[in-house]
Amino acid sequence: MAAPSSTTNVMLSISEKKTVSVDLYRPLRNYIIYNYSEREAQNIEDDLQTLKEYRSDIERAGSTDSSSSLPARRDLLQNYYKALCAVESRFPISPDQDHINSVTFTWFDAFKNKNKAAQQNIHLEKAAVLFNLGAVHSQMGLGFDRSSVEGRRQASHSFIAAAGAFAFLRDNVAMKASMGSSTTVDVSVECAGMLERLMLAQAQECVFENSIAKGNTPGVCAKISRQVGLFYEEALAALSVAPLNQHFDKAWLAHVQLKAALFYAEACYRYSLELHEKEEIAEEIARLKSGVNALSEARKTSPRGAAQQLLDAMNKLEASLNLNLEKAMKENDRVYLMRVPPASSLSPLPAFSLVKPMQMNDVLDASKEKMFASLVPDNSAKALSRYTEMVDDVIRTQAEKLQQGSELARVRLREMDLPDSILALDGNLSLPLALKEDVEAVQICGGPAGLDAELQQLRDLKRVNQELLVQTEEHLQKEATEDAQFRTQFGTRWTRPQSTTLTKNLLDRLNRFAANLKQAAESDARIERSVRDHAALMSILDRHPIESALPTLERPIMSLDATEDAIVGALKQSLRHLETLGAQRAGLEDMLKEMKRKDDILPKLMTSTGSHEDLFRKEIAKYDHICEEIARNLEAQEQLLLQIQAHNEEFASIFSLEDYKGGDH
């Protein structure tokens, strides 16, 4: 598996796992027809074809060796993984009779090609795709020219991405894939973890090479180098125990073991340069000896098969260590005469990590995947309905709190006669809009004089209606009398229907009209009495503008200007602040509604493999910060209203507000 690089120091890349062909199209289409409809199958024909093409391209792993095709291969693997997540949430693939049981995924081990696993579930398929994604990133890393600063930076980025893919495999899929009836070691939790450490080691190694090229201080280079060694040591520890200790080629084990020793010794060498500058000669000698011993011990214990370039690098470093060790020992013997401490007494070398696995959650997030989006299984639809109810409950509860807060402020201000009393003081008291519009309507009609004219017109109309009523009654009575006379005179020869029959409807309507007229007269009389009783008050309707007729609140005769101004100023400021809190509440309510409008968790529900309740808790927590803002707003308002009440009591006392309300001003 070792793939030599063109630069001095060899690194490892990983080959992709191989698979065998599998038909996903027909079983998935049949499942849709059986569980949904033929029409639904036709609607998502494009998605089925895309999935089929993805799988077909995945099967051609061996034909993509050129470095130019690696980014395309990476994109294919990422897209196929997201498609698999969409498949997993909609199509149950398992040996169960009611599930899709005609699909079997088969994959070969990347490190022991004769070993293979076959599973009737999607977990092995997902694990293999993630493994291959890490492998492709490792190949991309090895493809860059590491003789330049930019090449090393790009290589480091690719190894970080590879580490991210293997970490994602370890944390999300490896355990499920390893629980199948048939598994391979390469996609186990242990192997994914080892490969993540190996890729981090190579990424940090690129950073170390750049730190040397940039001329960083020996102390900085020592810390970076030590972390390279630590990553290799962690990978070596995993390779040295089951299930990996019998699984890898000896050359791999030799490579990792020698790299661990090389970068420990490199750190000793760089650290000793810093010690030399500080004239700490005894520890310098101890560190140099420790580096030499590490290289010597690794050569003795590691298996054969390591690349010659790696052995050459070790020899070159060992020569540098021995040269500096010889100089330091001579210097100590001639000048310092200090006791060299044993290696066991030395503190661990400081390390500094400049790399970490790339976060793959966004890259592999299938929640925005459009494939098969129209297929929503019943359990997902029900779960979405439950979550929607939870959101509605939050919105309803918070909206009620906001409305209660606004109503509370309105009632409390009304109880304190605010802001009317402040406006009366400034001579700015205005009428409520509805009342002002009513007053203007009366003024347009001529004010009190116009009202008198209207009342006179009502009296005239009443008289005319009364006269019409009497005349109509007389006509009907006359017609009835004439009918009776002719009936007596002509007897049976008078064949016309009886008058009372013909005029019954007219008499009924006449009686109703008389009753309405009587009721209207009583109403008019009440209005006239009311107008007479309030004639003095109504005279203010002749004032233009009407506000000029409103009383003003006057300052006390014994004026204390500074105190009064301070109290009035504080009250006005508090009222403005209260208004601001009200505006904030309106904004918060709009934010809640907008959040709900955008809150679509169906894609996450469809791709979630854990508990729905856990997802609900996480998603509903989005609303927490607005709920907290609302609680803070209402608490701030409560404190402010108490403050306004205190200010208002002082204001009412100084300006004799009770006398003003009683009409003494």
Side-chain angles (χ1 to χ4, degrees):
M1 294 303 300
S5 104
S6 59
T7 55
T8 307
N9 225 334
V10 67
M11 288 187 179
L12 298 176
S13 72
I14 299 148
S15 296
E16 284 189 65
K17 289 167 68 65
K18 303 290 195 299
T19 186
V20 297
S21 295
V22 62
D23 176 24
L24 291 176
Y25 175 86
R26 186 57 51 190
L28 265 58
R29 196 178 195 284
N30 289 341
Y31 178 84
I32 297 166
I33 293 169
Y34 183 77
N35 289 279
Y36 295 89
S37 67
E38 171 63 36
R39 174 181 284 277
E40 194 63 63
Q42 290 170 8
N43 288 343
I44 58 171
E45 176 66 23
D46 288 349
D47 291 346
L48 288 167
Q49 287 292 347
T50 300
L51 186 70
K52 180 181 178 180
E53 288 167 15
Y54 281 164
R55 190 43 162 88
S56 178
D57 291 344
I58 289 291
E59 290 161 12
R60 290 197 290 271
S63 64
T64 56
D65 293 332
S66 69
S67 60
S68 61
S69 64
L70 287 173
R73 185 76 184 166
R74 171 202 62 201
D75 294 345
L76 167 66
L77 289 161
Q78 288 173 177
N79 290 335
Y80 183 52
Y81 179 82
K82 288 186 281 190
L84 287 175
C85 292
V87 168
E88 182 179 15
S89 62
R90 293 164 175 85
F91 302 97
I93 300 174
S94 84
D96 290 2
Q97 187 175 347
D98 296 334
H99 290 181
I100 299 171
N101 51 30
S102 59
V103 172
T104 301
F105 296 106
T106 304
W107 287 90
F108 294 89
D109 193 297
F111 304 104
K112 284 190 179 293
N113 296 333
K114 291 179 182 177
N115 296 356
K116 68 177 180 180
Q119 293 185 19
Q120 283 176 285
N121 65 60
I122 209 158
H123 303 309
L124 175 64
E125 182 85 344
K126 287 173 72 180
V129 170
L130 289 173
F131 182 96
N132 283 359
L133 180 60
V136 166
H137 275 298
S138 77
Q139 293 165 30
M140 289 172 69
L142 225 65
F144 290 109
D145 177 10
R146 290 190 355 263
S147 63
S148 70
V149 169
E150 182 58 21
R152 288 189 289 266
R153 190 191 64 76
Q154 291 175 317
S156 178
H157 186 77
S158 288
F159 291 134
I160 286 169
F166 289 122
F168 193 89
L169 166 61
R170 177 195 63 207
D171 296 338
N172 296 283
V173 186
M175 186 64 76
K176 293 174 187 172
S178 297
M179 288 166 69
S181 55
S182 164
T183 62
T184 50
V185 172
D186 57 350
V187 292
S188 66
V189 170
E190 294 84 358
C191 189
M194 182 278 292
L195 292 172
E196 179 222 18
R197 297 286 104 182
L198 176 63
M199 292 299 106
L200 287 177
Q202 296 190 162
Q204 180 92 359
E205 188 174 341
C206 293
V207 174
F208 171 74
E209 289 172 351
N210 265 350
S211 71
I212 297 296
K214 290 175 184 175
N216 286 340
T217 64
V220 169
C221 293
K223 289 175 184 175
I224 297 172
S225 172
R226 182 65 195 113
Q227 185 59 56
V228 178
L230 287 173
F231 283 139
Y232 276 118
E233 286 169 22
E234 289 167 359
L236 180 63
L239 283 166
S240 304
V241 295
L244 306 185
N245 56 341
Q246 300 300 316
H247 197 72
F248 283 84
D249 188 86
K250 294 288 188 226
W252 258 65
L253 194 63
H255 176 91
V256 175
Q257 187 175 347
L258 293 179
K259 278 280 181 125
L262 175 69
F263 280 95
Y264 170 76
E266 186 75 58
C268 289
Y269 176 72
R270 303 284 166 185
Y271 194 65
S272 70
L273 295 176
E274 192 175 58
L275 291 169
H276 188 80
E277 288 175 14
K278 296 177 183 175
E279 297 188 359
E280 294 178 13
I281 200 79
E283 188 180 347
E284 179 191 356
I285 293 168
R287 295 290 182 189
L288 289 166
K289 283 183 177 179
S290 184
V292 171
N293 290 340
L295 292 174
S296 175
E297 188 64 26
R299 274 205 201 85
K300 289 178 192 170
T301 57
S302 77
R304 294 182 178 277
Q308 187 57 47
Q309 290 144 302
L310 178 52
L311 296 172
D312 291 346
M314 291 179 70
N315 292 336
K316 185 177 176 184
L317 177 59
E318 188 175 29
S320 298
L321 284 162
N322 279 323
L323 183 64
N324 282 12
L325 177 60
E326 189 180 341
K327 288 179 184 174
M329 288 175 70
K330 284 181 181 176
E331 211 168 318
N332 191 38
D333 290 342
R334 291 174 186 167
V335 181
Y336 298 103
L337 303 173
M338 294 181 73
R339 187 182 69 82
V340 176
S344 58
S345 70
L346 297 174
S347 60
L349 284 167
F352 185 39
S353 176
L354 287 169
V355 298
K356 59 183 178 181
M358 181 185 289
Q359 283 298 312
M360 287 290 180
N361 290 6
D362 289 340
V363 174
L364 300 174
D365 177 18
S367 67
K368 296 181 179 64
E369 180 59 54
K370 297 289 188 286
M371 192 173 278
F372 307 120
S374 62
L375 293 182
V376 181
D378 282 349
N379 62 335
S380 295
K382 287 172 185 172
L384 179 64
S385 176
R386 197 162 76 254
Y387 175 75
T388 303
E389 285 173 12
M390 291 168 67
V391 172
D392 286 344
D393 188 50
V394 170
I395 302 287
R396 187 170 52 253
T397 303
Q398 297 305 315
E400 284 172 4
K401 286 182 180 179
L402 289 167
Q403 287 160 11
Q404 287 166 4
S406 297
E407 182 62 17
L408 174 70
R410 192 179 65 77
V411 170
R412 295 271 286 276
L413 287 179
R414 194 171 60 203
E415 288 170 353
M416 292 185 272
D417 287 310
L418 289 172
D420 289 357
S421 53
I422 290 285
L423 294 170
L425 176 68
D426 295 338
N428 291 330
L429 194 60
S430 62
L431 296 179
L433 183 60
L435 179 57
K436 186 175 174 67
E437 287 174 352
D438 289 344
V439 168
E440 286 174 351
V442 172
Q443 289 178 332
I444 289 167
C445 295
L451 195 56
D452 286 339
E454 293 280 345
L455 290 171
Q456 182 57 48
Q457 190 177 355
L458 281 175
R459 287 191 287 270
D460 294 342
L461 288 169
K462 175 191 168 189
R463 189 183 71 256
V464 170
N465 285 332
Q466 199 68 45
E467 289 170 358
L468 287 170
L469 186 65
V470 170
Q471 286 172 11
T472 306
E473 282 179 333
E474 287 173 351
H475 282 307
L476 289 172
Q477 186 59 47
K478 182 181 177 185
E479 196 275 340
T481 303
E482 287 175 352
D483 180 61
Q485 285 173 351
F486 287 130
R487 201 170 293 283
T488 303
Q489 183 179 346
F490 297 108
T492 55
R493 285 178 298 158
W494 187 253
T495 57
R496 198 182 74 169
Q498 199 168 348
S499 175
T500 52
T501 303
L502 291 171
T503 60
K504 184 179 184 304
N505 286 340
L506 289 172
L507 283 166
D508 288 345
R509 288 171 66 185
L510 194 67
N511 290 333
R512 285 201 300 274
F513 185 67
N516 289 343
L517 204 57
K518 183 184 176 189
Q519 192 176 353
E522 290 170 357
S523 176
D524 290 348
R526 283 197 301 273
I527 291 171
E528 286 199 50
R529 279 197 305 275
S530 181
V531 169
R532 280 197 306 274
D533 292 345
H534 297 94
L537 177 61
M538 287 176 63
S539 65
I540 68 170
L541 291 171
D542 286 329
R543 300 279 287 275
H544 292 273
I546 188 64
E547 285 83 1
S548 64
L550 298 176
T552 57
L553 185 60
E554 296 174 5
R555 291 180 178 273
I557 297 168
M558 299 295 289
S559 182
L560 304 165
D561 284 345
T563 307
E564 293 159 19
D565 290 345
I567 290 167
V568 172
L571 199 49
K572 284 182 178 177
Q573 187 174 356
S574 296
L575 288 170
R576 281 195 295 271
H577 191 186
L578 193 67
E579 212 173 294
T580 303
L581 288 175
Q584 283 175 2
R585 282 197 298 279
L588 289 168
E589 189 167 11
D590 289 344
M591 280 173 68
L592 272 173
K593 290 174 182 172
E594 182 65 11
M595 271 192 77
K596 183 193 171 183
R597 190 181 68 77
K598 292 181 176 177
D599 194 2
D600 177 18
I601 71 158
L602 182 59
K604 290 181 183 175
L605 268 174
M606 299 289 284
T607 54
S608 169
T609 53
S611 154
H612 282 162
E613 296 306 320
D614 290 342
L615 178 65
F616 291 165
R617 270 195 298 276
K618 181 182 173 187
E619 291 297 319
I620 208 77
K622 295 195 296 268
Y623 296 88
D624 286 352
H625 76 280
I626 294 188
C627 295
E628 289 163 9
E629 282 285 327
I630 290 170
R632 279 196 291 272
N633 179 290
L634 296 173
E635 175 60 28
Q637 175 174 279
E638 186 55 38
Q639 297 302 316
L640 191 58
L641 285 169
L642 291 171
Q643 190 177 313
I644 289 171
Q645 190 171 350
H647 289 322
N648 195 52
E649 285 169 3
E650 290 183 82
F651 175 73
S653 172
I654 289 176
F655 288 89
S656 306
L657 207 54
E658 288 303 317
D659 293 343
Y660 167 74
K661 286 193 283 185
D664 289 353
H665 280 64

